[in-house]
Amino acid sequence: MKLKNIIILVLLFNITLFAKLNIIVTVAPQKSFVEKIGGKFVNVDVIVPIGADPHSYEPTPLQMVAVTKANIYMKIELEEFEKPWLPKLSAQNRDMKIESIAKNRTHINFEQEKEDEEHTEHKDEHHHSAEDPHIWTSPKEVKNIAKNILDILINYDKKNENIYKSNYENFLKEIEYTDKKIRETLKDTPKNTKIMVFHPAFGYFARDYDLMQIAIEFEGKEPKPKMLAYMIREAKKDGIKTIITEPEFSDKSAKVIANELKAKVEAISPLAPNWSENLIDLAKIIASSYH
Ligand code: ZN
């Protein structure tokens, strides 16, 4: 074989061996999940930056350009963002495949506010009670997400199947550890303890660990003064001692309620990339405040 041909072969070999899958995801925890399984064979870009509200985020022109290099968009069925934006992102890159890592997820709706007579006007607003998209705050759902990511990666990159599988097994161990740690932390927290949060991002977490999430915000809006007064009365009855806010949202009404209750305000972001530590921290906050 001629030297020139050998060089070409080596070059080709290198390209196929080291070509990474360029993947785009909606929120930061997804990036962590995809990287856990894809390891060095994936290059993951997040569309909604940490600190931005994924329910109303609009991609920058630079991000639109980044999409032109992507092989796969792994959506998480965060419909408020993905429904309007995915078609536009797709238009930038017709070759980009769209896959869901939320396949076979369980579905829960946002808890409805308790209503008394003065809040019947809220009933209609809340009527189309929306589905909760924050599945990644539940280790149980993260297990399902991990399986979906594994299947997608193998489908697009069969030759690294064994590596993906062994990464997946390690990731499952981390998920199980997280779940165990949360259960241990919450072992003395009474069942159905109410946790007050600003943005209802922890519904799946609450479901998994027998807690009840009470959200101050509803469908993206700060409560009106009347509603706020009602919430303060309820929160007093429930003995709420801590209000969980998120850096992504205003904590104005949370602070008003906290002042009235002499409660603490603690910020936890459901978008943190270190999802495991973050959920364990949330459990610690709940455990230290609610019993
Ligand atoms: Zn959210």
Side-chain angles (χ1 to χ4, degrees), residues 53-55 78 80 110 133-134 136 199-201 217 246 249 270-271:
D53 170 9
H55 302 273
L78 212 158
E80 280 165 290
F110 287 123
H134 309 88
W136 62 91
H199 178 69
E217 174 215 67
E246 286 174 35
F249 297 93
L271 298 177

Side-chain angles (χ1 to χ4, degrees), residues 32-48:
S32 312
F33 304 153
V34 176
E35 284 175 345
K36 296 264 178 208
I37 302 171
K40 59 180 177 182
F41 300 109
V42 294
N43 177 31
V44 189
D45 282 313
V46 182
I47 290 278
V48 181

